[in-house]
Coordinates of all heavy atoms in Angstrom, one line a residue:
M1 N 0.5 19.3 -18.0 CA -0.1 19.5 -16.7 C 0.9 20.2 -15.8 O 2.1 20.1 -16.0 CB -0.4 18.1 -16.1 CG -1.4 17.3 -16.8 SD -1.7 15.7 -16.0 CE -2.9 16.2 -14.9
N2 N 0.3 21.0 -14.9 CA 1.1 21.8 -14.0 C 0.9 21.3 -12.6 O -0.2 20.9 -12.2 CB 0.7 23.3 -14.1 CG 1.1 23.9 -15.4 OD1 2.1 23.5 -16.0 ND2 0.2 24.7 -15.9
G3 N 1.9 21.4 -11.7 CA 1.8 20.9 -10.4 C 2.9 21.4 -9.5 O 3.8 22.1 -10.0
V4 N 2.9 21.0 -8.2 CA 3.9 21.4 -7.3 C 4.7 20.2 -6.8 O 4.1 19.1 -6.6 CB 3.2 22.1 -6.0 CG1 4.2 22.4 -5.0 CG2 2.4 23.3 -6.5
V5 N 6.0 20.4 -6.8 CA 6.9 19.3 -6.3 C 6.7 19.1 -4.8 O 6.9 20.0 -4.1 CB 8.3 19.5 -6.7 CG1 9.2 18.4 -6.2 CG2 8.5 19.7 -8.2
V6 N 6.3 17.8 -4.4 CA 6.2 17.6 -3.0 C 7.3 16.7 -2.5 O 7.6 16.7 -1.3 CB 4.8 16.8 -2.7 CG1 3.7 17.8 -3.0 CG2 4.7 15.6 -3.5
S7 N 8.1 16.1 -3.4 CA 9.3 15.3 -2.9 C 10.2 15.2 -4.1 O 9.8 15.0 -5.2 CB 8.8 13.9 -2.5 OG 9.9 13.1 -2.2
N8 N 11.5 15.3 -3.7 CA 12.6 15.0 -4.7 C 13.7 14.1 -4.2 O 14.8 14.2 -4.5 CB 13.2 16.3 -5.2 CG 13.9 17.1 -4.2 OD1 13.7 16.8 -3.0 ND2 14.8 18.0 -4.6
K9 N 13.3 13.2 -3.3 CA 14.3 12.4 -2.6 C 14.8 11.3 -3.4 O 15.9 10.8 -3.2 CB 13.6 11.9 -1.3 CG 13.2 13.0 -0.4 CD 13.1 12.5 1.0 CE 12.5 13.5 2.0 NZ 12.8 14.9 1.7
G10 N 14.1 10.9 -4.4 CA 14.6 9.8 -5.3 C 15.6 10.3 -6.3 O 15.6 11.5 -6.7
E11 N 16.5 9.4 -6.7 CA 17.5 9.7 -7.7 C 16.8 9.8 -9.1 O 16.2 8.9 -9.6 CB 18.6 8.6 -7.8 CG 19.7 8.9 -8.7 CD 20.6 10.1 -8.3 OE1 20.6 10.4 -7.1 OE2 21.1 10.7 -9.2
K12 N 16.9 11.0 -9.7 CA 16.3 11.3 -11.0 C 14.8 11.2 -11.0 O 14.1 11.0 -12.0 CB 16.8 10.4 -12.1 CG 18.3 10.6 -12.3 CD 18.8 9.8 -13.5 CE 20.3 10.0 -13.7 NZ 20.8 9.2 -14.8
T13 N 14.2 11.3 -9.8 CA 12.7 11.2 -9.7 C 12.2 12.3 -8.8 O 12.8 12.7 -7.8 CB 12.3 9.9 -9.0 OG1 12.9 8.8 -9.8 CG2 10.8 9.7 -8.9
A14 N 11.0 12.9 -9.1 CA 10.3 13.9 -8.3 C 8.9 13.4 -8.3 O 8.3 12.8 -9.2 CB 10.5 15.3 -8.9
V15 N 8.2 13.8 -7.1 CA 6.8 13.5 -7.0 C 6.1 14.8 -7.1 O 6.4 15.8 -6.3 CB 6.5 12.8 -5.7 CG1 5.0 12.5 -5.5 CG2 7.3 11.5 -5.6
V16 N 5.1 14.9 -8.0 CA 4.4 16.2 -8.3 C 3.0 16.0 -8.0 O 2.3 15.1 -8.4 CB 4.6 16.6 -9.8 CG1 3.8 17.9 -10.1 CG2 6.1 16.8 -10.1
R17 N 2.4 17.0 -7.2 CA 1.0 16.9 -6.9 C 0.2 17.8 -7.9 O 0.6 19.0 -8.0 CB 0.7 17.4 -5.4 CG -0.8 17.3 -5.1 CD -1.1 17.8 -3.7 NE -0.9 19.3 -3.6 CZ 0.0 19.9 -2.8 NH1 0.7 19.2 -1.9 NH2 0.1 21.2 -2.9
V18 N -0.7 17.3 -8.5 CA -1.6 18.0 -9.5 C -3.0 18.2 -9.0 O -3.6 17.2 -8.6 CB -1.6 17.3 -10.9 CG1 -2.5 18.0 -11.8 CG2 -0.2 17.2 -11.4
N19 N -3.4 19.4 -8.8 CA -4.8 19.6 -8.3 C -5.7 19.8 -9.5 O -5.3 20.4 -10.5 CB -4.8 20.9 -7.5 CG -4.0 20.7 -6.2 OD1 -4.0 19.7 -5.6 ND2 -3.3 21.8 -5.8
Y20 N -7.0 19.4 -9.4 CA -8.0 19.6 -10.4 C -9.4 19.6 -9.7 O -9.5 19.3 -8.6 CB -7.9 18.4 -11.5 CG -8.1 17.0 -10.9 CD1 -9.4 16.5 -10.9 CD2 -7.1 16.3 -10.4 CE1 -9.6 15.2 -10.4 CE2 -7.2 15.1 -9.9 CZ -8.5 14.5 -9.9 OH -8.7 13.2 -9.4
R21 N -10.3 20.1 -10.5 CA -11.7 20.2 -10.0 C -12.6 19.2 -10.8 O -12.5 19.2 -12.0 CB -12.3 21.6 -10.1 CG -11.6 22.5 -9.2 CD -12.1 24.0 -9.3 NE -13.1 24.1 -10.3 CZ -14.1 25.0 -10.1 NH1 -14.2 25.8 -9.1 NH2 -15.1 25.1 -11.1
R22 N -13.5 18.5 -10.1 CA -14.4 17.6 -10.8 C -15.8 17.7 -10.2 O -15.9 17.8 -9.0 CB -13.8 16.2 -10.6 CG -14.7 15.1 -11.1 CD -13.9 13.8 -11.2 NE -12.8 14.0 -12.1 CZ -12.2 13.1 -12.8 NH1 -12.6 11.9 -12.5 NH2 -11.3 13.4 -13.6
P23 N -16.8 17.6 -11.0 CA -18.2 17.7 -10.4 C -18.5 16.4 -9.7 O -18.1 15.3 -10.1 CB -19.1 17.8 -11.7 CG -18.3 17.4 -12.8 CD -16.8 17.6 -12.5
D24 N -19.2 16.6 -8.5 CA -19.6 15.5 -7.7 C -20.7 14.7 -8.5 O -21.5 15.3 -9.2 CB -20.3 16.0 -6.4 CG -20.7 14.9 -5.5 OD1 -19.8 14.2 -5.0 OD2 -21.9 14.7 -5.4
E25 N -20.6 13.4 -8.5 CA -21.5 12.6 -9.3 C -23.0 12.7 -8.9 O -23.9 12.7 -9.8 CB -21.1 11.1 -9.2 CG -19.8 10.8 -9.9 CD -19.4 9.4 -9.9 OE1 -20.3 8.6 -9.7 OE2 -18.3 9.1 -10.2
L26 N -23.3 12.9 -7.6 CA -24.7 13.0 -7.2 C -25.2 14.4 -7.3 O -26.3 14.6 -7.8 CB -24.8 12.4 -5.8 CG -26.2 12.4 -5.2 CD1 -27.1 11.5 -6.0 CD2 -26.1 11.9 -3.7
Y27 N -24.5 15.3 -6.8 CA -25.0 16.7 -6.6 C -24.5 17.7 -7.7 O -25.1 18.7 -7.9 CB -24.7 17.3 -5.3 CG -25.3 16.4 -4.2 CD1 -24.5 15.7 -3.3 CD2 -26.7 16.5 -4.0 CE1 -25.1 14.9 -2.3 CE2 -27.3 15.7 -3.0 CZ -26.4 14.9 -2.2 OH -27.0 14.2 -1.2
G28 N -23.4 17.3 -8.4 CA -23.0 18.2 -9.5 C -22.1 19.4 -9.0 O -21.6 20.1 -9.8
K29 N -21.9 19.5 -7.7 CA -21.1 20.6 -7.1 C -19.6 20.2 -7.4 O -19.2 19.0 -7.3 CB -21.3 20.7 -5.6 CG -20.5 21.7 -4.9 CD -20.7 21.8 -3.4 CE -19.9 22.8 -2.8 NZ -20.1 22.8 -1.3
Y30 N -18.8 21.2 -7.8 CA -17.4 21.0 -8.1 C -16.6 20.8 -6.8 O -16.7 21.6 -5.8 CB -16.8 22.1 -8.9 CG -17.2 22.0 -10.3 CD1 -18.3 22.6 -10.8 CD2 -16.4 21.3 -11.2 CE1 -18.7 22.5 -12.2 CE2 -16.7 21.2 -12.6 CZ -17.9 21.8 -13.0 OH -18.2 21.7 -14.3
V31 N -15.8 19.7 -6.7 CA -15.0 19.4 -5.6 C -13.5 19.4 -6.1 O -13.2 19.0 -7.2 CB -15.4 18.1 -4.9 CG1 -16.7 18.2 -4.2 CG2 -15.4 17.0 -5.9
R32 N -12.6 19.8 -5.2 CA -11.2 19.8 -5.5 C -10.6 18.4 -5.2 O -10.9 17.8 -4.2 CB -10.4 20.8 -4.7 CG -10.7 22.2 -5.1 CD -9.9 23.2 -4.3 NE -10.6 23.3 -3.0 CZ -10.2 24.0 -2.0 NH1 -9.0 24.6 -2.1 NH2 -10.9 24.1 -0.9
R33 N -9.8 17.9 -6.1 CA -9.2 16.6 -6.0 C -7.7 16.8 -6.4 O -7.3 17.8 -7.0 CB -9.8 15.6 -6.9 CG -11.2 15.3 -6.7 CD -11.3 14.3 -5.5 NE -12.7 14.0 -5.3 CZ -13.3 13.9 -4.1 NH1 -12.6 14.1 -3.0 NH2 -14.5 13.6 -4.0
S34 N -6.9 15.9 -6.0 CA -5.5 16.0 -6.4 C -4.9 14.5 -6.6 O -5.5 13.6 -6.1 CB -4.6 16.7 -5.3 OG -4.6 15.9 -4.1
T35 N -3.9 14.5 -7.4 CA -3.2 13.2 -7.6 C -1.7 13.4 -7.6 O -1.2 14.5 -7.9 CB -3.6 12.6 -9.0 OG1 -3.1 11.3 -9.1 CG2 -3.2 13.5 -10.1
K36 N -0.9 12.4 -7.2 CA 0.5 12.5 -7.2 C 1.1 11.7 -8.4 O 0.7 10.6 -8.7 CB 1.1 11.9 -6.0 CG 0.8 12.7 -4.7 CD 1.7 12.2 -3.6 CE 1.0 12.3 -2.3 NZ 1.8 11.7 -1.2
L37 N 2.0 12.4 -9.1 CA 2.6 11.8 -10.3 C 4.1 11.6 -10.0 O 4.7 12.5 -9.5 CB 2.4 12.7 -11.5 CG 1.0 13.1 -11.9 CD1 1.0 14.1 -13.0 CD2 0.2 11.9 -12.3
H38 N 4.6 10.5 -10.4 CA 6.1 10.3 -10.3 C 6.7 10.7 -11.6 O 6.3 10.2 -12.7 CB 6.4 8.8 -10.0 CG 6.0 8.4 -8.7 ND1 6.8 8.3 -7.6 CD2 4.8 8.0 -8.2 CE1 6.2 7.9 -6.6 NE2 4.9 7.7 -6.9
V39 N 7.6 11.7 -11.6 CA 8.1 12.4 -12.7 C 9.6 12.1 -12.9 O 10.4 12.1 -11.9 CB 7.9 13.9 -12.6 CG1 8.5 14.6 -13.8 CG2 6.4 14.2 -12.5
H40 N 10.0 11.8 -14.2 CA 11.4 11.6 -14.5 C 12.1 12.9 -14.6 O 11.8 13.8 -15.4 CB 11.6 10.8 -15.8 CG 13.0 10.4 -16.1 ND1 13.8 9.7 -15.3 CD2 13.7 10.7 -17.2 CE1 15.0 9.5 -15.8 NE2 15.0 10.2 -17.0
D41 N 13.1 13.2 -13.7 CA 13.9 14.4 -13.7 C 15.4 14.1 -13.9 O 16.1 13.9 -12.9 CB 13.6 15.2 -12.4 CG 14.4 16.5 -12.3 OD1 14.9 17.0 -13.3 OD2 14.5 17.0 -11.1
P42 N 15.9 13.9 -15.1 CA 17.2 13.4 -15.3 C 18.4 14.2 -14.7 O 19.4 13.7 -14.2 CB 17.4 13.2 -16.8 CG 16.3 14.1 -17.4 CD 15.2 14.2 -16.3
E43 N 18.2 15.5 -14.6 CA 19.3 16.4 -14.0 C 19.1 16.7 -12.6 O 19.8 17.5 -12.0 CB 19.4 17.7 -14.9 CG 20.0 17.4 -16.2 CD 19.0 17.3 -17.3 OE1 17.9 17.9 -17.1 OE2 19.2 16.6 -18.3
N44 N 18.0 16.3 -12.0 CA 17.7 16.6 -10.6 C 17.6 18.1 -10.4 O 18.2 18.7 -9.5 CB 18.7 16.0 -9.6 CG 18.6 14.5 -9.5 OD1 17.5 14.0 -9.5 ND2 19.7 13.8 -9.4
T45 N 16.8 18.8 -11.3 CA 16.8 20.2 -11.2 C 15.7 20.8 -10.3 O 15.9 21.9 -9.8 CB 16.5 20.8 -12.7 OG1 15.3 20.2 -13.1 CG2 17.6 20.5 -13.6
C46 N 14.6 20.1 -10.1 CA 13.6 20.6 -9.3 C 13.7 20.3 -7.8 O 14.3 19.3 -7.4 CB 12.2 20.2 -9.8 SG 12.0 18.4 -9.9
Q47 N 13.3 21.3 -7.0 CA 13.3 21.2 -5.5 C 11.9 21.2 -5.0 O 11.0 21.5 -5.7 CB 14.1 22.4 -4.9 CG 15.5 22.5 -5.4 CD 16.4 21.3 -5.0 OE1 16.2 20.8 -3.9 NE2 17.2 20.8 -5.9
E48 N 11.7 20.8 -3.7 CA 10.4 20.8 -3.1 C 9.8 22.2 -3.1 O 10.5 23.2 -2.9 CB 10.5 20.3 -1.7 CG 10.7 18.8 -1.6 CD 10.7 18.3 -0.2 OE1 9.9 18.9 0.6 OE2 11.3 17.3 0.1
G49 N 8.5 22.3 -3.5 CA 7.9 23.6 -3.6 C 7.9 24.3 -5.0 O 7.2 25.2 -5.2
D50 N 8.7 23.8 -5.9 CA 8.7 24.3 -7.2 C 7.4 24.1 -8.0 O 6.8 23.0 -7.8 CB 9.9 23.7 -8.0 CG 11.2 24.2 -7.6 OD1 11.3 25.1 -6.7 OD2 12.3 23.6 -8.1
F51 N 7.0 25.0 -8.8 CA 5.9 24.9 -9.7 C 6.4 24.4 -11.0 O 7.2 25.1 -11.7 CB 5.1 26.2 -9.8 CG 3.8 26.0 -10.5 CD1 2.7 25.4 -9.9 CD2 3.6 26.5 -11.8 CE1 1.5 25.3 -10.5 CE2 2.4 26.4 -12.4 CZ 1.4 25.8 -11.8
V52 N 6.0 23.2 -11.5 CA 6.6 22.6 -12.7 C 5.5 22.2 -13.7 O 4.3 22.1 -13.4 CB 7.4 21.4 -12.4 CG1 8.6 21.8 -11.5 CG2 6.6 20.3 -11.7
T53 N 6.0 22.0 -15.0 CA 5.1 21.5 -16.0 C 5.6 20.1 -16.4 O 6.9 19.9 -16.5 CB 5.2 22.4 -17.3 OG1 4.8 23.7 -16.9 CG2 4.3 21.9 -18.4
V54 N 4.7 19.2 -16.5 CA 5.1 17.8 -16.8 C 4.2 17.3 -18.0 O 3.2 17.9 -18.3 CB 4.9 16.8 -15.6 CG1 5.8 17.2 -14.5 CG2 3.5 16.8 -15.2
E55 N 4.8 16.3 -18.7 CA 4.0 15.7 -19.8 C 4.1 14.2 -19.7 O 5.1 13.7 -19.2 CB 4.5 16.2 -21.1 CG 5.8 15.8 -21.6 CD 6.2 16.3 -22.9 OE1 5.5 17.1 -23.5 OE2 7.3 15.9 -23.4
E56 N 3.1 13.6 -20.3 CA 3.1 12.1 -20.3 C 4.2 11.6 -21.2 O 4.4 12.2 -22.3 CB 1.7 11.6 -20.8 CG 1.5 10.2 -20.4 CD 0.0 9.8 -20.6 OE1 -0.7 10.6 -21.1 OE2 -0.3 8.7 -20.2
A57 N 4.9 10.5 -20.9 CA 6.0 10.0 -21.7 C 5.9 8.5 -21.6 O 5.0 7.9 -21.0 CB 7.3 10.5 -21.2
R58 N 6.8 7.8 -22.3 CA 6.9 6.4 -22.2 C 7.3 6.0 -20.7 O 7.9 6.7 -20.0 CB 7.9 5.8 -23.2 CG 9.3 6.1 -22.8 CD 10.3 5.4 -23.8 NE 11.6 5.7 -23.5 CZ 12.3 5.0 -22.6 NH1 11.7 4.0 -21.9 NH2 13.6 5.3 -22.3
R59 N 6.9 4.8 -20.3 CA 7.2 4.3 -19.0 C 8.7 4.2 -18.8 O 9.3 3.5 -19.6 CB 6.4 3.0 -18.7 CG 6.5 2.6 -17.3 CD 5.4 1.6 -17.0 NE 4.1 2.1 -17.1 CZ 3.5 2.9 -16.2 NH1 4.1 3.2 -15.1 NH2 2.2 3.2 -16.3
V60 N 9.2 4.8 -17.7 CA 10.6 4.7 -17.4 C 10.9 3.6 -16.4 O 11.9 2.9 -16.4 CB 11.1 6.1 -16.9 CG1 12.6 6.0 -16.5 CG2 10.8 7.2 -17.9
S61 N 9.9 3.5 -15.4 CA 10.0 2.4 -14.4 C 8.6 2.0 -14.1 O 7.6 2.4 -14.7 CB 10.8 2.9 -13.2 OG 10.0 3.9 -12.5
K62 N 8.5 1.2 -13.0 CA 7.1 0.7 -12.6 C 6.1 1.8 -12.4 O 5.0 1.7 -12.8 CB 7.3 -0.1 -11.4 CG 6.0 -0.7 -10.9 CD 6.2 -1.5 -9.6 CE 4.8 -1.9 -9.0 NZ 5.0 -2.6 -7.7
N63 N 6.6 2.9 -11.7 CA 5.6 4.0 -11.4 C 5.8 5.3 -12.2 O 4.9 6.1 -12.2 CB 5.8 4.4 -9.9 CG 5.4 3.2 -9.0 OD1 4.4 2.5 -9.3 ND2 6.1 3.0 -7.9
K64 N 7.0 5.4 -12.9 CA 7.2 6.7 -13.6 C 6.8 6.6 -15.0 O 7.3 5.8 -15.8 CB 8.7 7.0 -13.5 CG 9.2 7.6 -12.3 CD 10.5 8.3 -12.4 CE 11.7 7.3 -12.7 NZ 13.0 8.0 -12.7
A65 N 5.8 7.5 -15.4 CA 5.3 7.5 -16.8 C 5.2 9.0 -17.2 O 4.4 9.3 -18.1 CB 4.0 6.8 -16.9
W66 N 5.8 9.9 -16.5 CA 5.7 11.3 -16.8 C 7.1 11.9 -16.8 O 8.1 11.4 -16.2 CB 4.9 12.1 -15.7 CG 3.5 11.6 -15.6 CD1 3.0 10.5 -15.0 CD2 2.4 12.2 -16.3 NE1 1.7 10.4 -15.2 CE2 1.3 11.5 -16.0 CE3 2.3 13.4 -17.1 CZ2 0.0 11.8 -16.5 CZ3 1.0 13.7 -17.6 CH2 -0.1 12.9 -17.3
R67 N 7.3 13.0 -17.6 CA 8.6 13.6 -17.8 C 8.5 15.1 -17.5 O 7.5 15.8 -17.8 CB 8.9 13.4 -19.3 CG 10.3 13.9 -19.7 CD 10.6 13.5 -21.1 NE 9.7 13.9 -22.1 CZ 9.8 15.0 -22.8 NH1 10.8 15.8 -22.7 NH2 8.8 15.3 -23.7
L68 N 9.5 15.6 -16.9 CA 9.6 17.0 -16.5 C 9.9 17.8 -17.8 O 10.8 17.5 -18.6 CB 10.7 17.3 -15.5 CG 11.0 18.7 -15.1 CD1 9.8 19.2 -14.2 CD2 12.3 18.8 -14.3
V69 N 9.0 18.9 -18.1 CA 9.2 19.7 -19.2 C 10.0 21.0 -18.8 O 11.0 21.3 -19.4 CB 7.9 20.1 -19.8 CG1 8.0 21.1 -20.9 CG2 7.1 18.9 -20.3
E70 N 9.5 21.7 -17.8 CA 10.2 22.9 -17.3 C 9.8 23.2 -15.9 O 8.8 22.8 -15.4 CB 9.9 24.1 -18.2 CG 8.5 24.5 -18.1 CD 8.2 25.8 -19.0 OE1 9.2 26.6 -19.1 OE2 7.1 26.0 -19.4
V71 N 10.7 23.9 -15.2 CA 10.4 24.5 -13.9 C 9.9 25.9 -14.2 O 10.6 26.8 -14.6 CB 11.7 24.5 -13.0 CG1 11.4 25.2 -11.7 CG2 12.2 23.1 -12.8
V72 N 8.6 26.1 -13.9 CA 8.0 27.4 -14.2 C 8.3 28.4 -13.1 O 8.7 29.5 -13.5 CB 6.4 27.2 -14.2 CG1 5.7 28.5 -14.4 CG2 6.0 26.2 -15.3
E73 N 8.3 28.0 -11.9 CA 8.6 29.0 -10.8 C 9.4 28.2 -9.7 O 8.9 27.2 -9.2 CB 7.3 29.5 -10.2 CG 7.5 30.6 -9.2 CD 6.1 31.1 -8.7 OE1 5.2 31.2 -9.5 OE2 6.1 31.6 -7.6
K74 N 10.5 28.8 -9.3 CA 11.3 28.2 -8.2 C 10.7 28.5 -6.9 O 10.1 29.6 -6.7 CB 12.7 28.7 -8.2 CG 13.5 28.3 -9.5 CD 13.7 26.8 -9.6 CE 15.0 26.4 -8.9 NZ 15.2 25.0 -9.0
A75 N 10.8 27.6 -5.9 CA 10.3 27.8 -4.6 C 11.2 28.9 -3.8 O 12.4 29.0 -4.1 CB 10.4 26.5 -3.8
V76 N 10.6 29.6 -2.9 CA 11.3 30.6 -2.2 C 12.0 29.9 -1.0 O 11.4 29.2 -0.2 CB 10.3 31.6 -1.6 CG1 11.1 32.6 -0.7 CG2 9.6 32.3 -2.7
Q77 N 13.3 30.1 -1.0 CA 14.2 29.5 0.1 C 14.2 30.4 1.3 O 14.5 31.6 1.2 CB 15.6 29.2 -0.4 CG 15.7 28.3 -1.6 CD 15.3 26.9 -1.2 OE1 15.4 26.4 -0.1 NE2 14.7 26.2 -2.2
V78 N 13.9 29.8 2.5 CA 13.8 30.6 3.7 C 15.2 30.6 4.4 O 15.8 29.6 4.5 CB 12.7 30.1 4.6 CG1 12.7 30.9 5.9 CG2 11.4 30.2 3.9

């Protein structure tokens, strides 16, 4: 799955927002939805705004069940 890092304040943890489209149950029109995933980042490599790839892994803590695969695109620093 691909997403954007919205927070990296935790130690070895990043929060990634993943956007997806799903059809509405009543009308069938596609609507945009998103979910936040807590990702294990052992080297603290990703920063806020980075576009990353994550994969499902064994549970690391109560909320973390995803693992960082790679940083696809670094965020532009202003």
Side-chain angles (χ1 to χ4, degrees):
M1 297 181 85
N2 296 321
V4 177
V5 177
V6 293
S7 173
N8 66 340
K9 299 202 184 332
E11 183 67 28
K12 297 184 181 180
T13 303
V15 180
V16 176
R17 184 182 67 236
V18 176
N19 296 321
Y20 59 94
R21 292 178 3 146
R22 173 165 299 202
D24 183 69
E25 292 185 16
L26 180 62
Y27 299 109
K29 179 179 178 180
Y30 281 89
V31 291
R32 285 181 285 174
R33 299 280 184 220
S34 65
T35 186
K36 287 192 213 176
L37 305 173
H38 293 261
V39 177
H40 185 60
D41 179 17
E43 288 96 30
N44 289 322
T45 56
C46 54
Q47 301 296 321
E48 288 186 29
D50 289 353
F51 189 72
V52 296
T53 301
V54 297
E55 70 179 2
E56 199 168 7
R58 69 175 183 84
R59 190 162 293 279
V60 179
S61 67
K62 178 183 174 183
N63 295 322
K64 281 197 293 187
W66 295 84
R67 182 171 58 98
L68 179 69
V69 175
E70 67 175 333
V71 177
V72 177
E73 183 178 332
K74 294 296 269 179
V76 177
Q77 300 294 330
V78 179

